[in-house]
Amino acid sequence: MSDVGQSEADLVDAFREAMRHVAATVYAVTTIDNGNRYGILATAVSSLSFEPPSLLVCVNRTASLHDPLERAERFCVNVLGLGNRDVAEHFMIPHADRFAVGEWEDHHGTPMLTSAQSSLVCRTVHRHVFGTHTIFIGELLAAKHRQDATPLTYFDRNYIDISAAPQRSEHGD
């Protein structure tokens, strides 16, 4: 039992249900290992620091990307936009060539989706194992961003369109 009286199984179920209701941007995290491209969809990505510019990416150790990412020196975080839903859906097909959908180019030794909202190429500077995942910390090497893209967002097992969200004025009012 936990401190609040829930069994471990109940606590995990409650955590899973709570996290399903947190809207999250969808990322295609990619790398190249021994000349082969690897990638997965992820939502556990976060900016870490501006000095130096860096990100953290959390990858389950059973994911197909994990071992190649463990060996790779670089990775790319492709922030998917609404127009990349086909890429996201294709990445979810087991054993598919994940790079068969979308236009991919190799930049700095990583696969970059040319139509992504943003693409952030990182050099892996630290790895930390915690629970079922490895936290990869990457220092930014290159970045590109499209001003006209709306992020692909995942909420409660569905992709949602947040383009109708209220706009803020230029002055943040």
Side-chain angles (χ1 to χ4, degrees), residues 42-69:
T43 55
V45 175
S46 182
S47 62
L48 180 60
S49 174
F50 285 107
E51 291 185 25
S54 52
L55 299 172
L56 62 82
V57 176
C58 303
V59 178
N60 192 305
R61 290 196 312 275
T62 64
S64 60
L65 177 70
H66 184 271
D67 291 347
L69 190 57

Side-chain angles (χ1 to χ4, degrees), residues 13-14 16 19-20 22 28 47 57 63 66 70 83 95 97 100 109 121 138 140 154 156 159 173:
D13 288 344
R16 184 175 286 120
M19 295 311 296
R20 282 185 186 131
V22 175
S47 62
V57 176
H66 184 271
E70 184 76 32
H95 311 295
D97 173 4
V121 177
L140 196 65
Y154 197 70
D156 196 19
Y159 296 112
D173 299 334

Side-chain angles (χ1 to χ4, degrees), residues 80-100:
L80 300 187
L82 281 177
N84 303 128
R85 186 172 177 161
D86 59 337
V87 172
E89 289 173 349
H90 188 73
F91 260 55
M92 295 303 295
I93 299 170
H95 311 295
D97 173 4
R98 294 190 170 148
F99 301 94

Side-chain angles (χ1 to χ4, degrees), residues 28-33 36-39 65 74-78 91 99 103-114 119-121:
V29 181
T30 60
T31 196
I32 295 177
D33 180 44
N36 297 310
R37 291 175 167 182
Y38 295 89
L65 177 70
R74 296 180 178 178
F75 62 89
C76 185
V77 173
N78 297 278
F91 260 55
F99 301 94
E103 186 175 328
W104 296 89
E105 296 178 354
D106 291 348
H107 286 275
H108 304 282
T110 65
M112 182 184 285
L113 181 62
T114 61
S119 294
L120 308 157
V121 177

